[in-house]
Amino acid sequence: PALGPRRHFSERLHAALGEEADTAVLVFVDPGAKGLEVVTGSVARLRLSDGECRVAAVSMATAFGGGNLVGGLVTGVWMLADLASRRR
């Protein structure tokens, strides 16, 4: 579970990645609170728009709603990777 507001907590986790944070994408899932956050670093944001992250998040949330946590994560990460690899 998030310690404090979910978005702020997710951003702190992302920042804790240190030097890798700029190129990283963090997907935070809190099943108990039915929460999901996607945080992108400054370099990763050049490859993934907010809209693309929203599409992946909706896909994950749909799978989570059907009780498929692992499948939702796998599909969401795959979507994010696929979208990021298309923009060079």
Side-chain angles (χ1 to χ4, degrees):
L3 302 174
R6 188 175 54 238
R7 183 67 187 180
H8 181 69
F9 182 73
S10 300
E11 289 171 344
R12 286 194 337 250
L13 285 176
H14 186 266
L17 294 171
E19 293 179 9
E20 296 179 6
D22 288 342
T23 58
V25 177
L26 180 128
V27 177
F28 176 79
V29 179
D30 182 354
K34 298 186 179 187
L36 170 65
E37 293 288 339
V38 178
V39 181
T40 56
S42 60
V43 174
R45 201 169 301 120
L46 299 174
R47 291 183 165 221
L48 284 170
S49 69
D50 287 346
E52 290 168 327
C53 290
R54 267 191 294 281
V55 168
V58 167
S59 177
M60 287 186 270
T62 300
F64 299 161
N68 189 358
L69 181 64
V70 173
L73 280 170
V74 169
T75 299
V77 170
W78 179 85
M79 288 177 71
L80 291 167
D82 183 57
L83 291 165
S85 69
R86 292 180 186 197
R87 187 173 295 149
R88 293 186 187 241

